Structure formats: structure tokens, C-alpha cells
Amino acid sequence: MKTIFAVGCATLFAAAPALAHVTLADTKASPNAYFVSAFRVGHGCAGSATTALRVEFPETLLVVKPQPKPGWTVEIERAPLSPPRPGEGGKPVTERIKAITWRGGPLPDDEFDAFGFMAKLPAEPGKLYFPAIQTCVQGEARWVEIPAASGARLSHPAPMLEVGGGEGDSMAGMDMSGTAPKP
């Protein structure tokens, strides 16, 4: 009986770190779709409450919008695009959202929360990585590791979205241009 309990506990604790990372709520989506999801924060930093989450967005995402969160402020960092790229409705896009930071809380270590956003996904399939820095009252956790071809296990992986997976694209096919016919 003790052996079964010990094996069960070892299995439970071995799986626990996967729950502790900053992750995306949805990990697969269709190309060229509007994608609504959230970054989940499952704990603080070594027992300390979370006070900020900064997430970097891939250059291939030209349209990104954060979801406001009561009790938190939203800071948006922009980067110029050179050359400008065609955007929705043919309007040129001259800058993109480089990063979004949510500040507030604090979010206690023993609670979790989600930080929402919407993005227009690229037409090309592939994996997109979102390096995230979780700041706490004491310390920080840098969820910024991107896997190498070697497949080595990462201790602080960046949240990842697989474009082309076909699942989790909660807004795929929706016309967000504002020109849809009225019912």
C-alpha cells in the first residue's frame, strides 16, 4: 500500500510543474482566423503574489488587442513596421503591438487568473511563441524559453500556439471588418 501511495504522489508531483507555468488557454487555432484566448497564471513566484504579466507578441501578428481586466492596468508597447504591411480592408499597418503588460492585483500565490487578448492569426501554419515575464511582490519568473530542435525539456517554456491545429479558434470565420450585412 505504501508503494502505491508513494508512486501516486511521485506521479502527482511530477505533473505539477506543467500546471505552474504561464500558459495559453487554447494551444491550437486555424490560420488567418481571429483568435480569442487568455494567458493563464497558475501561481506566484515562490510563494509571492503576482503583480504584473508582460507578454511579447510575434512579429507575424499585426492585429492584437488586450482585454481590460478590473483592478489591473494595461500597458501597450508598439514597434514600427518597415516597410508597412497591408492590413484589414487594405489600410497600411505601420506599427504592431510588441508587448502587453497587465499590472495590478496582487494575485495571491494560491489563486489563478487569466489575461485575455484577441489577435488576427497569420495565414501560414506554424508555432508562435509568446515570451512572458511574471513579476511578483518578491522576484519574477521568466517564461521565455523556446524549444530547440533537440527537444530538450524546458524549465520555463514560453506559451505556445500552434497555428494550423484547427482547434480553439473561437472566432474563426467571423467577419470583424464591420462591413457584414445587417440581419
Side-chain angles (χ1 to χ4, degrees):
M1 184 69 165
K2 287 182 184 178
T3 303
I4 293 172
F5 178 73
V7 170
C9 286
T11 302
L12 174 66
F13 290 117
L19 299 173
H21 302 335
V22 171
T23 60
L24 266 171
D26 303 292
T27 58
K28 295 182 180 184
S30 296
N32 208 33
Y34 280 92
F35 178 70
V36 175
S37 192
F39 296 99
R40 291 182 180 156
V41 175
H43 66 81
C45 308
S48 181
T50 300
T51 58
L53 178 66
R54 180 184 185 274
V55 179
E56 292 183 18
F57 289 83
E59 287 185 35
T60 55
L61 299 181
L62 298 183
V63 176
V64 176
K65 296 182 179 185
Q67 182 177 18
K69 184 167 199 53
W72 295 74
T73 60
V74 176
E75 300 168 12
I76 298 174
E77 295 174 49
R78 299 179 191 279
L81 287 174
S82 182
R85 299 191 187 123
E88 298 294 313
K91 181 180 176 186
V93 178
T94 60
E95 63 181 12
R96 69 177 187 88
I97 290 184
K98 178 181 177 180
I100 296 173
T101 302
W102 289 267
R103 291 188 194 281
L107 174 62
D109 178 59
D110 61 351
E111 296 179 13
F112 77 96
D113 209 341
F115 299 81
F117 73 100
M118 179 183 79
K120 175 74 164 51
L121 299 179
E124 306 79 30
K127 293 181 179 179
L128 300 178
Y129 293 93
F130 301 82
I133 298 173
Q134 176 185 7
T135 304
C136 297
V137 172
Q138 295 180 347
E140 71 177 20
R142 300 179 61 81
W143 306 101
V144 298
E145 298 174 350
I146 296 174
S150 67
R153 187 168 183 185
L154 306 176
S155 62
H156 288 81
M160 188 270 297
L161 173 66
E162 185 176 348
V163 176
E167 298 173 19
D169 52 345
S170 60
M171 294 184 70
M174 292 184 71
D175 182 348
M176 299 294 285
S177 67
T179 61
K182 305 258 189 261

